[in-house]
Amino acid sequence: MEPTSPIGNVLSRHVIVYSGKPDDDTKRDIAQRDTIKNNFKDLLNTDVRTVGGAGATAGWDKPGSGKGLLDALKEVSDSIKKSPEPSKEQVILFITDHGDLHKIET
């Protein structure tokens, strides 16, 4: 992956990890979340947002609902809008599980 740099092609990187309803039995989704956070934690101009399960009470930044995902996307969008060169912003969306916690009504 290309490093972020003020003179390179990528000024900053925004990572969102989404798991609507993480696996409780295998902890696979949590392990993937933690691996991604650890792999990006020391990279310059890189932020990682996690969206899943019950949110902060379960180790995620935001709950795994449609609203939680939209909030994370809005934060990334706002960061890109503030960039001096928005076309040099990189977004990575990693979806590790389907579904979420909100009710669907017809």
Side-chain angles (χ1 to χ4, degrees):
M1 191 167 290
E2 183 171 340
T4 57
S5 164
I7 59 172
N9 290 325
V10 179
L11 291 177
S12 63
R13 180 174 291 119
H14 311 276
V15 182
I16 297 174
V17 178
Y18 175 79
S19 180
K21 188 172 181 183
D23 297 333
D24 289 330
D25 52 348
T26 64
K27 307 289 187 214
R28 179 187 65 226
D29 298 322
I30 292 168
Q32 289 174 341
R33 173 201 68 196
D34 293 345
T35 297
I36 291 169
K37 284 173 63 173
N38 287 330
N39 286 343
F40 284 101
K41 73 178 179 180
D42 294 326
L43 296 180
L44 183 65
N45 297 325
T46 299
D47 56 69
V48 177
R49 292 167 176 82
T50 61
V51 182
T57 60
W60 300 84
D61 297 322
K62 301 193 179 306
S65 62
K67 181 181 180 335
L69 182 57
L70 285 173
D71 288 347
L73 289 166
K74 172 105 171 71
E75 289 174 3
V76 168
S77 174
D78 290 345
S79 293
I80 291 171
K81 287 175 186 174
K82 293 176 187 174
S83 173
E85 293 188 69
S87 65
K88 290 188 174 185
E89 298 292 313
Q90 184 178 67
V91 177
I92 299 171
L93 175 60
F94 181 83
I95 300 173
T96 180
D97 192 54
H98 60 83
D100 59 20
L101 302 175
H102 71 273
K103 291 182 181 181
I104 297 173
E105 297 182 25
T106 56

